[in-house]
Amino acid sequence: MNTISIKNKVIGEGTPKIIIPLMGKTEEQLFQELNEVKTLAHDIIEWRVDVYEYVEDLEAVKQMLSELRRLVKDSLFLFTFRSHKEGGNKEISDRNYVELLQTVIRTKNIDLIDIELFTNDSAVKELVALAEENGIFVVMSNHDFRKTPKKEEIIHRLRKMQELGAHIPKIAVMPNSVQDVITLLDATNTMKTKYANRPIITMSMADIGLISRLAGEVFGSACTFGAGKEASALGQIPVSELRNVLEIINKNIR
């Protein structure tokens, strides 16, 4: 599995990189949250824009993005609109989703952008091409909040993300049993050892899937999400606790 370098971070080697989401609804909440997040040990800051109260106003999003970029200039910055069908806060049309991502990419005020795999292939290809033209790295994602697909299906989705040009394929699934967690970890290891030619991110959600957020270095997930002021998904733990555990694991497998 190859690595990618973005600014001063090498993703895909060593301890999984920690991503902290910004979940504020208002400008005031975002700035307050960011001040707290910047004091925590992190590698990437993610703006979950689907929570933002003015997400449907492209000019407001661009302005807020510019302010956030100025304040997080020393951190890698990931822009994510999580669709309602994949667990996000806001329901918008595919057309508006694509327009939002196109607008944000063209600002060049981000380092990475999340593009959902199941938008549709033609739109995904156009967004990936636009991101590459503007020097933006693509995290292509899929989230299943109901179940854990079979191992073969998890691998199929990750491989399709590679084929569509994702720099970092990502999948998150919901476990309904311990076996589901094992399925996700097995799929991750197989993807890493047989098919991946770039970093991948995988996770099993909720409390039962916590091990998948901690053992990425062992099984092959290059990044993990930790809660700053507020978690963006079930199963995230506070960043301070997450960093400590990751460092212990890293020390013991070296």
Side-chain angles (χ1 to χ4, degrees):
M1 183 171 69
N2 295 334
T3 63
I4 61 170
S5 296
I6 309 176
K7 292 183 177 176
N8 63 337
K9 299 290 183 183
V10 180
I11 299 174
E13 71 174 17
T15 304
K17 303 302 179 283
I18 294 179
I19 303 172
I20 305 181
L22 298 177
M23 300 294 292
K25 297 178 182 178
T26 67
E27 178 178 323
E28 181 181 359
Q29 289 173 355
L30 280 166
F31 288 149
Q32 181 182 3
E33 186 178 12
L34 182 57
N35 285 335
E36 296 179 21
V37 163
K38 287 170 68 176
T39 67
L40 303 173
H42 67 274
D43 299 291
I44 302 170
I45 293 176
E46 176 190 42
W47 183 21
R48 273 289 303 273
V49 74
D50 52 288
V51 181
Y52 184 46
E53 63 179 347
Y54 297 122
V55 65
E56 294 179 282
D57 183 338
L58 293 180
E59 288 304 315
V61 171
K62 286 167 61 178
Q63 184 174 346
M64 189 71 239
L65 186 67
S66 179
E67 286 296 310
L68 292 174
R69 172 81 277 182
R70 180 178 62 83
L71 294 170
V72 301
K73 61 182 182 294
D74 296 326
S75 299
L76 294 187
F77 193 24
L78 166 63
F79 181 92
T80 298
F81 180 96
R82 182 64 58 236
S83 71
H84 191 263
K85 65 178 179 283
E86 296 210 9
N89 185 67
K90 186 77 176 178
E91 191 166 3
I92 62 174
S93 68
D94 285 352
R95 176 181 175 183
N96 288 342
Y97 172 78
V98 171
E99 184 180 10
L100 171 65
L101 267 56
Q102 289 172 333
T103 299
V104 168
I105 289 169
R106 291 188 176 111
T107 70
K108 300 184 181 183
N109 274 328
I110 54 173
D111 301 298
L112 306 103
I113 191 161
D114 183 290
I115 300 175
E116 293 183 351
L117 171 65
F118 291 128
T119 303
N120 70 62
D121 283 4
S122 61
V124 167
K125 289 176 182 177
E126 290 175 7
L127 286 168
V128 169
L130 183 63
E132 291 187 340
E133 288 172 16
N134 287 276
I136 309 300
F137 290 81
V138 172
V139 178
M140 196 171 296
S141 65
N142 172 236
H143 303 75
D144 192 325
F145 276 80
R146 295 185 298 109
K147 66 184 185 307
T148 297
K150 292 181 179 180
K151 173 185 175 180
E152 294 75 18
E153 177 61 20
I154 293 172
I155 293 171
H156 169 73
R157 294 180 192 181
L158 290 169
R159 293 185 71 184
K160 184 174 182 181
M161 293 174 195
Q162 282 195 158
E163 293 167 5
L164 289 170
H167 298 97
I168 308 175
K170 172 195 171 190
I171 192 165
V173 297
M174 182 62 70
N176 294 303
S177 66
V178 172
Q179 182 58 52
D180 283 347
V181 180
I182 294 171
T183 295
L184 182 279
L185 294 174
D186 187 21
T188 303
N189 183 62
T190 299
M191 182 70 188
K192 177 189 74 170
T193 56
K194 291 188 176 181
Y195 305 111
N197 55 16
R198 64 204 68 192
I200 61 174
I201 302 173
T202 68
M203 68 201 69
S204 185
M205 294 183 280
D207 293 345
I208 194 174
L210 177 59
I211 185 63
S212 69
R213 298 182 181 275
L214 304 176
E217 190 169 356
V218 176
F219 291 94
S221 182
C223 298
T224 189
F225 288 74
K229 186 173 182 180
E230 184 179 344
S232 62
L234 297 171
Q236 287 179 8
I237 63 174
V239 168
S240 57
E241 297 177 23
L242 178 60
R243 176 68 72 182
N244 289 338
V245 175
L246 291 177
E247 289 177 353
I248 291 171
I249 292 173
N250 177 274
K251 187 180 298 184
N252 283 278
I253 66 174
R254 294 300 175 193

